C-alpha cells in the first residue's frame, strides 16, 4: 500500500471492452454488461478504439459516442452499458476507491432475479480465475452468461424508461438499495479511511495556509506502483488491468 493515498480517494483501472457479440446486435463487435453504481461516480478516458456508452437516467435513454480523447462521467444510479465498435480501450476512474470492489455495482438482471438476494448472488458471482490461464474459458463463459442475463433485464428496463422516463428506473433503484444495504457499514469504513481522510487533510492544509502556515508541506512524499501481476481480470464490461492505490 502506498504511504500517500492516490489523489481524491479515487481508483484507476484500464478496461478493454468485450468483443463478444451482443444478443441485441449492439456494437460492431460486442458490448459489456449493463449495471449501475449505488454510491460511486464513474468516469471514462478513451485511449483507443471506438464505440459508445448507453445510459438510462432521469434524462431517459442516451448514447454517447466514444473515441480517443473523449472523457465522459456519470453519477450513482445511472445505468450504463459500454458498446464496442472495435478495440475500445479506456481508463476508468471511480470515486470512493474500494466501494466498487466491495459490491457497489448492481447489474440489471430481470426483476425476479433482483428480488431474490440468493439468486442474485449466484448470478453475479464468477468462478475464481486461474492465474496461470490468461484466457480462462470457465470464467469467460460465466462472464458472458452473466452479461447476457443483465442484457435481458436491460432490454425491459430500456422499454420502461423510453415509455415512462426516469420513473422507469424506480423499481431497479429500490431493488439495488435492498441488495446492498447490509454492506453499508463496511462501505462507511472504507469512505472514512479513504475520501473523508483525504478531504480532512486538504481542509487542514487550507486552514493552515489561511493562517500563513505551511507546516504540512514538510511531509510531502512521492509514491508509485505497478499494475497488479497476473492475467487481465474478467470484469463486468471487459478485461481489466488494475492497480493497488
Amino acid at each position: 500500500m502506498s504511504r500517500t493515498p492516490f489523489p481524491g480517494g479515487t481508483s484507476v483501472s484500464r478496461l478493454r471492452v468485450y468483443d463478444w457479440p451482443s444478443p441485441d446486435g449492439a456494437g460492431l463487435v460486442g458490448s459489456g454488461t449493463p449495471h449501475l453504481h449505488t454510491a460511486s461516480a464513474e468516469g471514462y478516458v478513451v485511449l483507443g478504439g471506438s464505440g459508445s456508452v448507453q445510459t438510462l437516467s432521469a434524462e431517459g435513454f442516451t448514447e454517447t459516442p466514444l473515441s480517443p480523447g473523449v472523457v465522459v462521467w456519470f453519477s450513482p444510479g445511472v445505468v450504463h452499458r459500454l458498446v464496442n465498435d472495435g478495440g475500445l480501450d479506456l481508463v476508468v476512474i471511480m470515486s470512493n476507491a474500494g466501494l466498487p470492489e466491495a459490491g457497489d455495482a448492481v447489474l440489471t438482471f430481470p426483476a425476479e432475479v433482483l428480488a431474490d438476494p440468493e439468486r442474485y448472488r449466484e448470478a453475479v458471482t464468477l468462478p475464481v480465475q486461474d492465474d496461470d490461464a490468461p484466457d480462462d474459458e470457465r470464467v469467460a463463459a460465466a462472464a458472458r452468461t452473466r452479461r447476457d442475463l443483465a442484457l435481458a433485464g436491460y432490454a425491459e428496463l430500456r422499454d420502461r424508461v423510453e415509455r415512462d422516463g426516469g420513473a422507469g428506473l424506480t423499481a431497479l433503484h429500490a431493488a439495488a438499495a435492498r441488495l446492498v444495504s447490509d454492506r453499508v457499514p463496511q462501505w462507511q469504513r472504507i469512505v472514512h479511511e479513504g475520501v473523508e481522510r483525504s478531504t480532512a487533510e486538504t481542509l487542514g492544509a487550507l486552514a493552515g495556509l489561511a493562517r500563513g502556515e505551511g507546516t504540512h508541506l514538510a511531509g510531502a512524499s512521492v509514491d508509485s506502483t505497478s499494475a497488479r501481476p497476473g492475467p487481465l481480470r474478467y470484469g463486468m464490461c471487459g478485461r481489466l488491468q488494475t492497480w493497488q492505490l
Side-chain angles (χ1 to χ4, degrees), residues 9-158:
T10 56
S11 63
V12 175
S13 58
R14 186 171 181 180
L15 175 68
R16 281 81 163 182
V17 179
Y18 289 131
D19 57 4
W20 301 330
S22 304
D24 62 357
L28 296 179
V29 298
S31 83
T33 306
H35 62 282
L36 60 79
H37 295 279
T38 58
S40 299
E42 182 171 6
Y44 302 143
V45 180
V46 184
L47 300 179
S50 63
S52 64
V53 57
Q54 296 179 349
T55 54
L56 300 173
S57 69
E59 299 172 348
F61 171 79
T62 59
E63 188 159 17
T64 304
L66 300 177
S67 58
V70 170
V71 177
V72 60
W73 61 96
F74 38 86
S75 57
V78 173
V79 174
H80 47 287
R81 175 209 188 178
L82 282 165
V83 174
N84 189 358
D85 287 335
L88 190 55
D89 186 4
L90 315 168
V91 168
V92 180
I93 299 139
M94 297 291 309
S95 67
N96 305 321
L99 260 64
E101 297 83 354
D104 173 44
V106 172
L107 279 61
T108 58
F109 293 144
E112 63 271 18
V113 179
L114 293 172
D116 184 337
E118 183 59 32
R119 189 173 173 187
Y120 178 86
R121 279 192 292 272
E122 290 177 359
V124 80
T125 303
L126 299 181
V128 176
Q129 185 170 343
D130 183 352
D131 285 342
D132 295 325
D135 298 300
D136 192 322
E137 293 182 359
R138 299 171 308 109
V139 184
R144 190 163 179 171
T145 297
R146 180 176 72 175
R147 183 206 63 174
D148 291 350
L149 182 62
L151 283 173
Y154 173 79
E156 299 172 357
L157 187 65
R158 179 173 169 179

Side-chain angles (χ1 to χ4, degrees), residues 2-5 219-225:
S2 296
R3 291 173 293 139
T4 303
S221 64
V222 177
D223 287 289
S224 66
T225 190

Side-chain angles (χ1 to χ4, degrees), residues 31 45 90 141 162-163 165-166 169 174 181 183 196 218 222 231 233 240:
S31 83
V45 180
L90 315 168
E162 291 183 332
R163 183 185 66 239
L169 293 169
S181 61
R183 303 186 182 196
E196 281 189 357
V222 177
R233 295 293 167 182
L240 284 169

